Structure formats: C-alpha cells, structure tokens
C-alpha cells in the first residue's frame, strides 16, 4: 500500500491545525478516567494464546460441533485463529442483500491463511426508508443498542481471536461498533458492500415528491419515481446516514482504504472482501502484529471521524452515534467538540441533499481518498493514527485497483475530477463545516447547514406547534401553513417515542419554501442526512417530555432560528414562560403496536440526544 512516490507526497502535509489539536487535547483530558478504565478492562481480557484455549473441553466441543472436520482439526490445534463473523444480512434491505454469500467467501479466504471463520451471530437491520412515517420507525433508534447487545451475545462465546463486521445502514454500523469496542481486546475490521448504481437523479425524485404533496401527480407516479431511485442491490446513493457511516468508518481506519464505495458484485469488491478476511488474521494476538480495536480507536481517531463528517456535510445522526461509539471506548465527546471543529473544517464536498451529485459521482470525482488528501494539506486531520491497514492516515489517500487481476493500491486522485462535487481545500464550498450546533433558551440542537441556502439560514417567525408529525398534512392541505412560520414538532425525542425520523415533513415544507415563505423546523426528533434545503434545528435537548422549554411553546410565539450563528431562541419573556403550565399530552399510544411494547422499558432509559440517546451504560 505504499506507491513509490508516496513519500514525496507526504512532504506536502501541513502541521496539525491548532484548533484540531486543542479539541483533541480537551477530549483526552475529559476522558482521562473513563479511557484509563476502558484500556485496563480490555488489557485484562487479553489472552497469551488463542481465546478458545481458556474454554473447558465440553465448552470447546460445543463451539466447533457444527464445523467440518478440517476446521475442527484446526480449532483443536491452539495455534490457528478463529475469526467471528457478525452479519446484518437480510434480503429485504438493498444495502444488506450483498452480504448473503459473504460468510462463505470470507471462510474460504481465511482458509488460505490457516484460519477458521464462524458466523458468531446475526443482528437485526431495519431500513428507515421503509418505516418512515410508520409506527415501526419508533423502533429505529433503539435498534442500534439492540444490535450492539445482539452482537455481544454472539461474541460472548469467547471462541474468537478477531472479528469481521458486515453492516452498512443507519443504526447497524454504530451498533456494531459499540459491540466491537465492548470486546475491544479483539481486532476488528468492518467490511462494506458498496452502493447501488445510480438511478433516477435525486433532484428529480424530490421534484416528484413535492408534486405529490401538492396533489399534482398521483401515487402511481410517485411510486414509479421512488422505484427508479431505489432500484437495485446496494446502498442508497444519497448522502444520508448509511453513506455517512461508510465515510466515517473509513476515515477512522476501520475499513480497508478505498473500500466504502465500490459497487457490489464486482471483481474489485470481491477482492476487497477477501483482503479484509486475510488482514484480520494479521492483527490477532498470536500474529506478532496485535492491534485490538480498543487501542486503534483512540481520541485522535474519533476526532478524525468528526472532521470528515463535517467536511463532507454528513448525516446529523452521527452527532448522536459518534457520541455513543466513543463512549463505548471510554472517550467522552459532546456537541461543543463538533461546534469548535466546524469553525475550522470547511465544507469541501457536495453530495445530495447538499448538491445534485450522488455518492457514485463523489467517488468518481476522487472520493474519500481525495477528501483526506485535501484535509492533510491544511493539517485538518490527525496523521499519526493506527488503522487496520497500518500506521498513518495517509494510507487512506490510496485507492484499490486490480493490477493484472490482483488487488493492489495506488495513489488516488491528486485533485478533484469534478469541482462541483469535491472542492479544493483553498476554495471550499463553505468555510464552515456542514453541521451547526444550535443553542439558546430552547436548549441545544443541531442543524445540517450544508444544503441550506444562505438566505434561508436565518428565520424569525411565529411558531405553529404540533405534538405529532401526522397532524401537519391536514393543515398543509388546508393552506393554513401558507405563511412565514417556524413549524415546531415536539414529543418526538428519545424517551417520548424513540425519536423517529420525520422525513415526511420535508416535501410539504419544501413546497412552502418554493412558494416564497420563510420556513424553519424545530423538533426534538430526527431528520438524518436528508433535511435538504429546509433549515431544521433537530435533536432539541432537553426533549419536551423531559422538561424542555419546547413543551411551553404556543402557536404564534416568535422563534429565531439562526443557522449562521447557531442561535435557537424563543422570543418570549421569562415571566410569561414561568406562568405557563406544561401539559404533556397522552403518549400511551406510543407504547403498543408494531412491537413497540417490547421496547418501552428500554426507551425509558435512553439518555438525551447529546449523550448519544443510548440505553447502554458504558
């Protein structure tokens, strides 16, 4: 992975940016006690030999009972590695369908290096695109923690010397990461499956959605447009949480370089999957090159993940997921870290909904390898980090290719091949990262600003208050929202109803903006990476059901939403607010149906959005 001219390229790197250094040092100081305890825990879990050597004979016999005789013989020999495969495969999700035959391919690759692979467990994988606006959406956020716990059950057999994680989408990758870090003494590599090929352009899809919201096209036209957009196996091509996960995981050195956005069922994808299987064996305790994920993921690696998220305008969901992932490694981050980094990390990528390009066009323009190269030019990313490919983030400026049929790496693009998609670091699309932390008397929130036009980033207008996203359609259809307004949708936070995404709000709000009205959204719910052009202060914390001021907002109250300065203020005097009574609506309907009754007790223990919206106590 080291082309001949790579050392010369390193001379172009700048010294680390002072703000990046300061934020990192602050995280290290804040995490001193918890990180030390974490490292002590994973050190105690180490083994001087293969882990299954600690098992009694009866335990071990159960552990390999279903294996072929060749694998049994290898596992009886306490030298060969046993690699866990944790898979989120199902054949309903387009992104996870490619994983169907990965276990067999991985096992075959492991055999070539004298190791064994076992599917240690499967985890649930749900699609927010399917459940959007449905009752099942209220299970979505909690599924992340369920995934973490499910993976932990598989790993708890203590048979394994390393693990490969097969997952792509919104809650799956964060949940798998939390589990991997809970077993932080084991090496781990995350194995992506790649995006689907480009279908109907995203801009056209949104146009049809808005026409449908206005009643100008029928359901058949809408369904045809959606089916032409999401049309085949692979990850959806817009830059929502799924692709943000892939971007961040690769930037954190947990994927092989350049592997995130290679299409499924291609020779290069096959080669990368085989390479990941072989590479995990090189990182095990008895390999002489031991690198457990708990040591790999340190404060610098977490900061690198945040930086790439900001530079590319990634999903706001990661402002919660990265917090939870970091906590699983004993590292304490908060939204102030995102905010301070946003001041120095420019936006250098435009991927839908931040622009017309999809993830395939981003990859063709230079992809993540170019993003990292540009950040290195300004010292905006830590170089001195461990990765699954070796030491140093500069390895991730390389791209994989098939050299006479064999996997190799070469220098990636040295400049953007499409400046409308990836900008030079010296002439960014915006000097500010794509995520703005909001703060004021309404609490703290986040806004994805990368797709919001400058003229729409500051909205000061009367509130129109809803306690459910489902109540908005009627007022929109009746024309009652045809005015400048700040739409408030509350009781959508983690404890109220599991914090569903509220994407069904985007088409009607987009229509109002197109009519010339000044419109913003304020909610304690979520919007992922697809809030688009609507200025949306989301993840408001404290949430309304937990004493947040959002519960006292009334129709007609003036709210100021300033996406430039980060101000989120209810312009009502304190005396008036103190006199108002808070009446929490009946939320009992959120506790049953579509499996929700199974999650009630977990939901009660969810932390606030800024604390990761997590029910697991790390």
């Amino acid at each position: 992975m080291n082309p001949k001219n790579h050392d010369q390229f390193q001379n172009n790197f700048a010294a680390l940016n002072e703000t990046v250094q300061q934020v990192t040092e602050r995280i290290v100081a804040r995490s001193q006690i918890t990180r030390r305890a974490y490292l002590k825990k994973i050190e105690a879990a180490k083994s001087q030999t293969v882990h299954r050597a600690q098992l009694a004979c009866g335990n071990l016999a159960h552990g390999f009972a279903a294996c072929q005789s060749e694998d049994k013989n290898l596992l009886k020999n306490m030298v060969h590695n046993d690699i866990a495969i944790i898979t989120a495969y199902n054949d309903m999700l387009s992104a996870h369908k490619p994983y169907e035959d990965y276990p067999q391919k991985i096992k075959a690759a492991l055999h070539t290096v004298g190791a064994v692979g076992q599917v240690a467990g499967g985890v649930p994988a749900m699609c927010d695109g399917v459940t959007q606006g449905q009752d099942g959406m209220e299970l979505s956020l909690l599924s992340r923690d369920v995934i973490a716990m499910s993976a932990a059950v598989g790993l708890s057999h203590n048979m394994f010397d390393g693990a490969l994680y097969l997952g792509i989408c919104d809650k799956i990758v964060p949940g798998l990461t939390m589990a991997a870090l809970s077993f932080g003494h084991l090496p781990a590599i995350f194995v992506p499956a790649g995006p689907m090929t480009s279908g109907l352009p995203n801009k056209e899809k949104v146009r049809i959605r808005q026409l449908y919201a206005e009643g100008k096209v029928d359901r058949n036209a809408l369904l045809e447009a959606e089916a032409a957009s999401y049309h085949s196996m692979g990850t959806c091509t817009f830059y929502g949480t799924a692709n943000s996960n892939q971007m961040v995981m690769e930037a954190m050195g947990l994927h092989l370089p350049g592997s995130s956005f290679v299409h499924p069922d291609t020779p290069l994808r096959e080669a990368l999957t085989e390479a990941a299987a072989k590479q995990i064996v090189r990182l095990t305790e008895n390999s002489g090159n031991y690198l457990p994920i708990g040591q790999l993921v340190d404060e610098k690696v977490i900061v690198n993940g945040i930086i790439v998220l900001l530079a590319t305008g990634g999903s706001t969901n990661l402002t919660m997921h990265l917090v939870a992932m970091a906590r699983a490694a004993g590292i304490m981050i908060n939204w102030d870290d995102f905010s301070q980094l946003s001041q120095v990390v420019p936006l250098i990528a435009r991927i839908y909904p931040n622009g017309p390009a999809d993830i395939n066009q981003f990859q063709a323009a230079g992809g993540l390898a170019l993003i990292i190269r540009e950040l290195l030019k300004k010292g905006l990313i830590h170089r001195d980090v461990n990765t699954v490919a070796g030491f140093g983030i500069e390895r991730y400026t390389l791209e994989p290719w098939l050299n006479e049929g064999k996997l190799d790496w070469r220098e990636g693009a040295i400049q953007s091949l499409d400046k409308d998609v990836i900008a030079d670091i010296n002439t960014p699309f915006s000097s500010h990262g794509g995520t703005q932390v909001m703060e004021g008397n309404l609490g703290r929130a986040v806004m994805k600003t990368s797709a919001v036009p400058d003229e729409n980033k500051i909205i000061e207008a009367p509130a129109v208050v809803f306690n459910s996203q489902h109540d908005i359609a009627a007022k929109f259809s009746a024309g009652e929202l045809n005015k400048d307004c700040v739409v408030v949708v509350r009781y959508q936070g983690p404890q109220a109803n599991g914090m569903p995404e509220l994407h069904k709000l985007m088409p009607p709000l987009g229509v109002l903006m197109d009519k010339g009205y000044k419109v913003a959204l304020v909610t304690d719910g979520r919007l992922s990476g697809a809030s688009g052009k609507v200025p949306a202060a989301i993840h408001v914390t404290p949430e309304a059901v937990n004493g947040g001021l959002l519960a006292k907002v009334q129709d007609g109250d003036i709210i100021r939403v300033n996406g430039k300065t980060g101000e989120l203020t209810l312009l009502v005097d304190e005396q008036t607010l103190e006199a108002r009574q808070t009446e929490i609506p009946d939320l009992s309907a959120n506790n049953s149906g579509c499996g929700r009754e199974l999650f009630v007790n977990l939901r009660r223990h969810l932390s606030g959005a800024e604390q990761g919206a997590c029910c697991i106590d790390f």
Side-chain angles (χ1 to χ4, degrees):
M1 299 184 188
N2 289 298
K4 292 179 181 179
N5 63 343
H6 196 60
D7 291 339
Q8 184 177 356
F9 163 64
Q10 294 183 37
N11 295 329
N12 296 325
F13 295 162
L16 188 65
N17 176 275
E18 184 177 349
T19 298
V20 174
Q21 182 66 38
Q22 289 174 351
V23 171
T24 306
E25 290 174 354
R26 186 173 68 205
I27 294 171
V28 170
R30 187 190 303 135
S31 309
Q32 189 173 10
I33 295 173
T34 51
R35 179 64 174 170
R36 185 187 303 123
Y38 173 79
L39 292 174
K40 183 178 179 180
K41 179 188 78 170
I42 66 171
E43 178 67 23
K46 283 175 57 178
S47 171
Q48 298 305 311
T49 180
V50 293
H51 282 269
R52 64 186 179 278
Q54 303 171 47
L55 300 179
C57 292
N59 302 138
L60 183 56
H62 278 85
F64 60 51
C67 291
Q68 298 295 322
S69 58
E70 179 186 351
D71 284 352
K72 283 184 180 179
N73 288 333
L74 289 173
L75 292 176
K76 288 176 184 176
N77 184 324
M78 298 302 169
V79 174
H80 298 277
N81 289 297
D82 189 13
I83 303 301
I85 302 167
I86 302 290
T87 178
Y89 162 73
N90 65 50
D91 65 7
M92 186 197 74
L93 270 62
S94 63
H96 291 79
K97 167 66 174 175
Y99 286 135
E100 184 171 11
D101 59 0
Y102 270 42
Q104 294 308 314
K105 293 175 180 177
I106 287 169
K107 290 177 184 181
L110 288 169
H111 281 156
T112 66
V113 290
V116 175
Q118 292 183 288
V119 176
V123 302
M126 66 180 293
C127 178
D128 292 359
V130 177
T131 58
Q132 204 64 247
Q134 308 297 316
D135 291 345
M137 187 68 208
E138 295 182 12
L139 308 185
S140 174
L141 181 58
L142 258 172
S143 76
R144 181 197 65 192
D145 293 30
V146 172
I147 287 162
M149 291 185 277
S150 300
V153 170
L155 293 169
S156 68
H157 295 102
N158 204 26
M159 285 278 294
F160 308 109
D161 308 297
L164 295 168
Y165 295 87
L166 314 184
I168 295 284
C169 289
D170 294 23
K171 315 307 170 296
I172 296 96
V173 168
L176 290 175
T177 306
M178 291 157 65
L181 288 166
S182 292
F183 285 78
H185 60 288
L186 296 179
I189 296 179
F190 286 72
V191 185
M196 67 177 67
T197 56
S198 300
L200 184 73
N202 287 299
K203 187 175 182 180
E204 177 64 10
K205 175 187 67 179
V206 171
R207 187 183 74 85
I208 298 297
R209 284 178 176 177
Q210 291 194 178
L211 289 174
Y212 178 75
E214 295 176 273
K216 295 179 179 179
V217 300
D218 63 13
R219 181 180 173 85
N220 288 332
L222 177 64
L223 182 57
E224 286 301 314
E226 298 288 353
S229 299
Y230 310 115
H231 64 94
S232 71
M233 186 167 64
T235 314
C236 304
T237 60
F238 73 94
Y239 195 36
T241 308
N243 283 319
S244 295
N245 283 339
Q246 303 311 297
M247 195 85 74
V248 168
M249 294 298 281
E250 188 170 326
M252 290 170 62
L254 293 170
H255 286 176
L256 290 183
S259 62
S260 295
F261 304 121
V262 175
H263 291 305
D265 278 351
T266 61
L268 182 56
R269 169 57 66 203
E270 301 279 330
L272 285 164
T273 300
E274 292 176 7
K278 295 175 182 178
Q279 183 67 8
I280 192 67
V281 178
R282 299 186 184 104
L283 304 178
T284 57
E285 285 182 61
N286 60 358
S287 69
N289 190 40
Y290 179 49
L291 182 60
I293 187 174
Q295 290 180 9
L296 187 158
V297 176
D298 62 11
E299 293 87 349
K300 292 178 181 179
V301 165
I302 293 292
V303 168
N304 281 358
I306 297 173
I307 286 167
V308 169
L309 179 75
L310 296 172
T312 56
S315 169
T316 51
N317 271 330
L318 271 294
T319 63
M320 291 186 297
H321 295 328
L322 275 168
V323 172
M325 291 157 63
R327 285 186 176 223
I331 298 169
M332 301 292 127
I333 62 173
N334 60 38
W335 288 350
D336 290 332
D337 303 321
F338 286 81
S339 183
Q340 191 170 350
L341 289 169
S342 291
Q343 303 305 315
V344 297
V345 176
L347 180 68
I348 55 175
R350 284 206 179 280
I351 321 168
Y352 183 82
N354 310 330
D358 67 11
I359 200 68
N360 295 318
Q361 291 165 286
F362 167 80
Q363 179 76 350
L368 180 58
L370 181 58
I371 295 293
I372 290 176
R373 184 184 294 266
E374 292 298 315
L375 291 168
L376 284 166
K377 287 180 182 177
K378 292 288 188 180
L380 288 171
I381 191 168
H382 287 285
R383 291 175 58 190
D384 54 336
V385 292
N386 285 308
T387 79
V388 297
F391 188 76
I393 195 62
E394 58 266 30
R395 291 178 180 272
Y396 287 74
T397 63
L398 306 178
E399 65 176 13
W401 68 301
L402 293 177
N403 184 2
E404 297 182 354
K406 295 184 179 180
L407 182 63
D408 200 355
W409 273 265
R410 61 189 176 192
E411 290 289 359
I414 61 173
Q415 61 184 13
S416 177
L417 301 177
D418 187 340
K419 293 189 180 297
D420 291 330
V421 180
I422 300 178
D424 186 281
I425 195 78
N426 294 309
T427 55
F429 296 119
S430 171
S431 61
H432 187 282
T435 302
Q436 173 71 60
V437 177
M438 311 290 287
E439 189 166 13
N441 63 353
L442 279 171
R444 284 161 67 84
V446 294
M447 179 188 289
K448 184 168 180 176
T449 59
S450 47
V452 179
D454 276 350
E455 63 271 19
N456 292 333
K457 287 180 179 174
I458 303 175
I459 306 292
E460 186 173 315
V464 183
V465 182
F466 300 92
N467 292 337
S468 169
Q469 62 174 318
H470 304 295
D471 296 336
I472 291 176
K475 282 203 172 186
F476 171 78
S477 298
E480 296 178 32
L481 297 180
N482 289 336
K483 56 187 176 181
D484 293 353
C485 60
V486 175
V487 174
V488 173
V489 186
R490 61 193 180 189
Y491 302 108
Q492 307 298 307
Q495 292 193 16
N497 65 348
M499 206 179 189
E501 289 186 348
L502 307 174
H503 285 304
K504 69 182 297 180
L505 306 183
M506 291 302 100
L509 296 184
V511 169
L512 296 176
M513 292 182 68
D514 289 346
K515 289 180 177 181
Y517 298 115
K518 294 288 187 180
V519 179
L521 173 68
V522 176
T523 179
D524 46 11
R526 294 187 294 125
L527 270 173
S528 179
S531 52
K533 64 187 178 182
V534 178
I538 61 178
H539 305 177
V540 173
T541 184
E543 62 176 294
V545 79
N546 253 356
L549 186 59
L550 211 59
K552 290 190 174 184
V553 179
Q554 297 181 359
D555 285 341
D557 288 348
I558 303 299
I559 295 178
R560 181 183 297 138
V561 179
N562 190 327
K564 293 184 176 181
T565 64
E567 181 183 0
L568 179 62
T569 304
L570 174 64
L571 300 175
V572 176
D573 65 85
E574 290 187 16
Q575 187 175 358
T576 300
L577 291 173
E578 287 178 7
R580 288 182 181 175
Q581 298 297 313
T582 300
E583 295 184 7
I584 297 177
D586 181 6
L587 301 175
S588 60
N590 300 335
N591 297 337
S592 65
C594 205
R596 288 178 290 178
E597 56 273 13
L598 302 174
F599 291 75
V600 173
N601 286 331
L602 284 178
R603 200 176 69 206
R604 287 173 181 156
H605 293 283
L606 282 171
S607 60
E610 189 168 7
Q611 290 74 45
C614 191
C615 69
I616 300 173
D617 185 2
F618 292 110

